[in-house]
Amino acid sequence: KELEEVKIPLFYGWFLMSPANEKVKCSAIDFVKTLDTLEAFKKHSADFTGKAEKEVDLEQHFKAKASLHCTTKFSNYGKAEGAKEYAQNLVVKDHFGSVSELSLIAFFVTPRTVGARVSLTKEQLQLWPVDAESSVPGATGLPHGSRAHVTLACAAGVEAVQTGLDLLDILALQKDGQQGELVEMELGSLSYYGEGRWMLALREPICASACFSSSYK
Ligand code: ACK
Protein backbone atom coordinates (compact mmCIF):
# COMPACT_ATOMS: atom_id res chain seq x y z
CA LYS A 1 0.00 0.00 0.00
CA GLU A 2 1.17 3.54 -0.78
CA LEU A 3 2.47 5.68 2.06
CA GLU A 4 -0.19 7.84 3.68
CA GLU A 5 -0.25 11.48 2.62
CA VAL A 6 2.38 13.46 4.55
CA LYS A 7 0.76 15.67 7.16
CA ILE A 8 1.51 19.38 7.25
CA PRO A 9 3.01 20.52 10.61
CA LEU A 10 1.75 23.14 13.05
CA PHE A 11 4.66 25.41 12.10
CA TYR A 12 8.10 25.59 10.46
CA GLY A 13 11.02 27.47 11.91
CA TRP A 14 14.60 27.53 13.12
CA PHE A 15 14.96 25.64 16.38
CA LEU A 16 17.81 26.82 18.58
CA MET A 17 20.28 24.08 19.38
CA SER A 18 22.19 23.42 22.55
CA PRO A 19 24.10 25.33 23.97
CA ALA A 20 22.75 28.37 22.06
CA ASN A 21 19.27 27.78 23.50
CA GLU A 22 20.61 28.09 27.07
CA LYS A 23 22.86 31.03 26.22
CA VAL A 24 19.94 33.04 24.81
CA LYS A 25 17.67 32.15 27.74
CA CYS A 26 20.33 33.33 30.22
CA SER A 27 20.94 36.59 28.34
CA ALA A 28 17.19 37.25 28.28
CA ILE A 29 16.83 36.63 32.02
CA ASP A 30 19.79 38.94 32.71
CA PHE A 31 18.23 41.66 30.58
CA VAL A 32 14.78 41.39 32.20
CA LYS A 33 16.32 41.40 35.70
CA THR A 34 18.36 44.49 34.88
CA LEU A 35 15.40 46.26 33.27
CA ASP A 36 13.41 45.73 36.46
CA THR A 37 16.01 47.62 38.52
CA LEU A 38 16.22 50.70 36.26
CA GLU A 39 14.70 53.95 37.52
CA ALA A 40 13.49 54.71 33.97
CA PHE A 41 11.56 51.44 34.00
CA LYS A 42 10.17 51.84 37.54
CA LYS A 43 8.84 55.25 36.56
CA HIS A 44 6.57 53.53 34.02
CA SER A 45 5.68 50.41 36.03
CA ALA A 46 2.00 51.41 35.96
CA ASP A 47 2.09 50.29 32.29
CA PHE A 48 2.38 46.75 33.67
CA THR A 49 0.40 46.92 36.90
CA GLY A 50 -2.31 49.41 35.97
CA LYS A 51 -1.62 51.17 39.26
CA ALA A 52 0.63 54.14 39.90
CA GLU A 53 3.41 53.48 42.42
CA LYS A 54 3.00 49.71 42.30
CA GLU A 55 6.23 47.98 41.28
CA VAL A 56 6.25 45.02 38.96
CA ASP A 57 8.34 41.88 39.43
CA LEU A 58 9.01 41.02 35.79
CA GLU A 59 10.23 37.53 36.61
CA GLN A 60 6.86 36.83 38.22
CA HIS A 61 4.94 38.62 35.49
CA PHE A 62 6.26 36.40 32.68
CA LYS A 63 6.48 32.66 32.12
CA ALA A 64 9.70 31.81 30.28
CA LYS A 65 9.74 29.42 27.30
CA ALA A 66 11.91 26.31 27.69
CA SER A 67 12.90 25.59 24.10
CA LEU A 68 13.33 28.47 21.73
CA HIS A 69 12.62 28.85 18.03
CA CYS A 70 12.07 31.44 15.32
CA THR A 71 8.87 30.63 13.42
CA THR A 72 9.00 31.02 9.63
CA LYS A 73 5.57 29.68 8.62
CA PHE A 74 2.62 29.01 10.90
CA SER A 75 0.84 26.27 8.89
CA ASN A 76 -1.75 25.12 11.41
CA TYR A 77 -1.68 21.53 10.07
CA GLY A 78 -2.51 22.81 6.60
CA LYS A 79 -5.39 25.07 7.59
CA ALA A 80 -3.44 28.36 7.39
CA GLU A 81 -3.39 30.28 4.14
CA GLY A 82 -0.51 29.20 1.91
CA ALA A 83 0.36 26.20 4.12
CA LYS A 84 0.38 23.68 1.29
CA GLU A 85 2.39 25.92 -1.06
CA TYR A 86 4.99 26.48 1.69
CA ALA A 87 5.30 22.74 2.39
CA GLN A 88 5.87 22.09 -1.34
CA ASN A 89 8.27 24.97 -1.89
CA LEU A 90 11.61 23.58 -3.14
CA VAL A 91 13.64 26.05 -1.06
CA VAL A 92 11.82 24.78 2.03
CA LYS A 93 12.43 21.14 1.09
CA ASP A 94 16.10 21.78 0.25
CA HIS A 95 16.78 23.55 3.54
CA PHE A 96 14.85 21.17 5.74
CA GLY A 97 17.20 19.90 8.45
CA SER A 98 19.94 22.43 7.66
CA VAL A 99 21.75 24.34 10.40
CA SER A 100 22.47 28.07 10.21
CA GLU A 101 23.31 30.93 12.55
CA LEU A 102 20.55 33.23 13.77
CA SER A 103 21.64 36.77 14.56
CA LEU A 104 19.72 38.25 17.51
CA ILE A 105 19.99 42.04 17.32
CA ALA A 106 17.57 43.28 20.00
CA PHE A 107 15.51 42.28 23.01
CA PHE A 108 12.06 43.73 23.55
CA VAL A 109 9.55 43.68 26.39
CA THR A 110 5.88 44.66 26.48
CA PRO A 111 3.27 43.96 29.19
CA ARG A 112 2.37 40.87 27.11
CA THR A 113 5.60 39.37 25.80
CA VAL A 114 9.40 39.20 25.88
CA GLY A 115 11.18 38.50 22.60
CA ALA A 116 14.41 38.78 20.64
CA ARG A 117 14.48 40.38 17.22
CA VAL A 118 16.22 38.26 14.58
CA SER A 119 18.08 39.71 11.60
CA LEU A 120 17.80 37.20 8.76
CA THR A 121 20.47 36.65 6.11
CA LYS A 122 19.57 36.71 2.41
CA GLU A 123 19.55 32.93 2.36
CA GLN A 124 17.35 32.71 5.47
CA LEU A 125 14.94 35.24 3.93
CA GLN A 126 14.22 32.75 1.14
CA LEU A 127 12.37 30.70 3.77
CA TRP A 128 10.39 33.70 4.99
CA PRO A 129 6.74 33.80 3.77
CA VAL A 130 5.97 36.73 1.46
CA ASP A 131 2.91 37.76 3.49
CA ALA A 132 4.33 37.46 7.04
CA GLU A 133 4.29 41.25 7.47
CA SER A 134 1.68 42.40 4.96
CA SER A 135 -1.00 40.19 6.58
CA VAL A 136 -0.76 42.30 9.75
CA PRO A 137 -2.68 45.61 9.78
CA GLY A 138 -0.33 48.43 10.70
CA ALA A 139 2.76 46.57 9.51
CA THR A 140 2.44 47.27 5.80
CA GLY A 141 5.56 48.92 4.46
CA LEU A 142 7.91 47.24 6.93
CA PRO A 143 10.70 45.28 5.20
CA HIS A 144 10.34 41.57 4.47
CA GLY A 145 11.59 39.65 7.52
CA SER A 146 10.78 42.40 10.03
CA ARG A 147 8.61 40.05 12.05
CA ALA A 148 11.41 37.50 12.61
CA HIS A 149 11.76 36.89 16.34
CA VAL A 150 12.27 34.38 19.10
CA THR A 151 9.55 34.35 21.77
CA LEU A 152 11.29 34.27 25.16
CA ALA A 153 8.35 34.60 27.53
CA CYS A 154 4.65 35.47 27.68
CA ALA A 155 2.49 36.92 30.45
CA ALA A 156 -0.31 34.75 31.86
CA GLY A 157 -3.04 34.11 29.30
CA VAL A 158 -1.05 35.51 26.36
CA GLU A 159 -0.47 33.36 23.24
CA ALA A 160 2.99 33.26 21.64
CA VAL A 161 1.69 34.70 18.35
CA GLN A 162 1.53 38.03 20.21
CA THR A 163 5.34 38.37 20.34
CA GLY A 164 5.72 38.95 16.60
CA LEU A 165 2.82 41.39 16.63
CA ASP A 166 4.41 43.32 19.52
CA LEU A 167 7.66 43.46 17.53
CA LEU A 168 5.92 44.82 14.42
CA ASP A 169 4.14 47.38 16.59
CA ILE A 170 7.45 48.69 17.96
CA LEU A 171 9.07 48.70 14.50
CA ALA A 172 6.13 50.71 13.09
CA LEU A 173 6.66 53.30 15.86
CA GLN A 174 10.40 53.42 15.09
CA LYS A 175 9.62 53.91 11.40
CA ASP A 176 7.37 56.85 12.26
CA GLY A 177 10.42 58.39 13.87
CA GLN A 178 9.29 57.86 17.44
CA GLN A 179 12.41 57.63 19.53
CA GLY A 180 11.41 57.51 23.17
CA GLU A 181 13.52 58.00 26.24
CA LEU A 182 16.92 56.49 25.75
CA VAL A 183 18.94 54.70 28.43
CA GLU A 184 22.48 53.52 27.75
CA MET A 185 23.12 50.04 29.13
CA GLU A 186 26.16 47.77 29.04
CA LEU A 187 24.43 45.56 26.45
CA GLY A 188 23.28 48.41 24.23
CA SER A 189 20.80 51.25 24.09
CA LEU A 190 17.35 50.88 25.55
CA SER A 191 14.36 52.83 24.21
CA TYR A 192 10.90 53.33 25.65
CA TYR A 193 7.97 53.57 23.22
CA GLY A 194 5.11 54.15 25.65
CA GLU A 195 2.49 51.71 26.96
CA GLY A 196 5.08 49.40 28.48
CA ARG A 197 6.99 48.88 25.23
CA TRP A 198 10.78 48.67 25.60
CA MET A 199 13.48 47.68 23.14
CA LEU A 200 17.18 47.11 23.75
CA ALA A 201 19.27 47.35 20.58
CA LEU A 202 22.24 45.07 21.27
CA ARG A 203 25.73 46.53 20.81
CA GLU A 204 26.93 43.04 19.88
CA PRO A 205 24.42 40.73 18.18
CA ILE A 206 24.00 37.33 19.81
CA CYS A 207 24.74 34.44 17.46
CA ALA A 208 22.72 31.25 17.89
CA SER A 209 22.97 27.98 15.94
CA ALA A 210 19.57 26.77 14.81
CA CYS A 211 18.13 23.92 12.75
CA PHE A 212 15.43 24.58 10.15
CA SER A 213 12.69 22.08 10.82
CA SER A 214 9.03 21.79 11.77
CA SER A 215 6.91 21.05 14.81
CA TYR A 216 3.64 19.16 15.14
CA LYS A 217 2.70 20.61 18.55
O1 ACK B 1 6.44 32.38 19.32
P1 ACK B 1 5.93 32.09 17.97
O2 ACK B 1 6.55 32.68 16.78
O3 ACK B 1 4.34 32.33 17.95
O4 ACK B 1 5.87 30.51 17.80
C1 ACK B 1 4.59 30.00 17.99
C2 ACK B 1 4.32 28.95 16.95
O5 ACK B 1 3.61 29.61 15.90
C3 ACK B 1 3.47 27.79 17.46
O6 ACK B 1 2.30 28.28 18.02
C4 ACK B 1 3.43 30.98 16.20
N1 ACK B 1 2.08 31.33 15.77
C5 ACK B 1 0.89 30.94 16.30
N2 ACK B 1 -0.13 31.44 15.59
C6 ACK B 1 0.40 32.18 14.59
C7 ACK B 1 -0.13 32.96 13.52
N3 ACK B 1 -1.44 33.07 13.34
N4 ACK B 1 0.74 33.59 12.70
C8 ACK B 1 2.06 33.49 12.87
N5 ACK B 1 2.63 32.77 13.84
C9 ACK B 1 1.82 32.12 14.70
C10 ACK B 1 3.64 31.12 17.67
Side-chain angles (χ1 to χ4, degrees):
K1 192 173 178 282
E2 290 284 315
L3 276 175
E4 293 287 334
E5 180 193 351
V6 176
K7 291 283 182 289
I8 294 179
L10 179 63
F11 69 100
Y12 290 82
W14 290 282
F15 295 80
L16 273 70
M17 304 197 307
S18 217
N21 193 71
E22 287 64 37
K23 179 180 75 174
V24 173
K25 277 199 289 186
C26 288
S27 311
I29 291 171
D30 281 351
F31 164 59
V32 168
K33 275 188 180 168
T34 310
L35 181 64
D36 221 356
T37 65
L38 298 179
E39 280 311 315
F41 181 79
K42 288 183 183 169
K43 204 167 77 184
H44 297 289
S45 64
D47 292 351
F48 285 77
T49 60
K51 298 186 189 84
E53 263 130 75
K54 189 156 184 268
E55 287 197 7
V56 56
D57 181 341
L58 287 178
E59 280 189 281
Q60 296 277 321
H61 183 84
F62 291 111
K63 179 148 181 16
K65 300 285 175 193
S67 54
L68 307 178
H69 68 265
C70 173
T71 304
T72 53
K73 175 71 184 173
F74 179 71
S75 302
N76 198 15
Y77 308 113
K79 285 177 279 187
E81 183 145 344
K84 202 160 180 201
E85 291 76 5
Y86 190 85
Q88 291 169 345
N89 186 327
L90 282 182
V91 185
V92 170
K93 288 186 174 178
D94 281 351
H95 283 82
F96 203 84
S98 68
V99 173
S100 64
E101 298 285 324
L102 289 182
S103 177
L104 278 45
I105 57 169
F107 284 128
F108 56 94
V109 174
T110 76
R112 299 164 296 279
T113 64
V114 182
R117 184 181 183 197
V118 177
S119 169
L120 300 174
T121 64
K122 265 201 184 130
E123 191 176 357
Q124 289 167 340
L125 276 172
Q126 296 183 307
L127 296 164
W128 197 251
V130 280
D131 63 348
E133 288 80 22
S134 58
S135 61
V136 179
T140 42
L142 289 173
H144 189 221
S146 295
R147 189 176 180 170
H149 69 280
V150 174
T151 297
L152 300 164
C154 291
V158 174
E159 300 281 348
V161 62
Q162 188 60 45
T163 317
L165 303 176
D166 284 354
L167 172 59
L168 290 174
D169 178 45
I170 293 174
L171 296 180
L173 292 171
Q174 278 183 354
K175 188 165 163 269
D176 286 348
Q178 184 168 326
Q179 180 60 273
E181 286 161 62
L182 213 84
V183 184
E184 286 307 321
M185 292 175 66
E186 206 175 296
L187 286 170
S189 43
L190 175 72
S191 300
Y192 174 61
Y193 295 94
E195 298 172 19
R197 297 168 293 190
W198 297 85
M199 183 175 264
L200 172 74
L202 294 169
R203 223 178 293 286
E204 294 282 339
I206 298 173
C207 214
S209 298
C211 181
F212 180 68
S213 180
S214 66
S215 173
Y216 285 83
K217 59 177 173 57

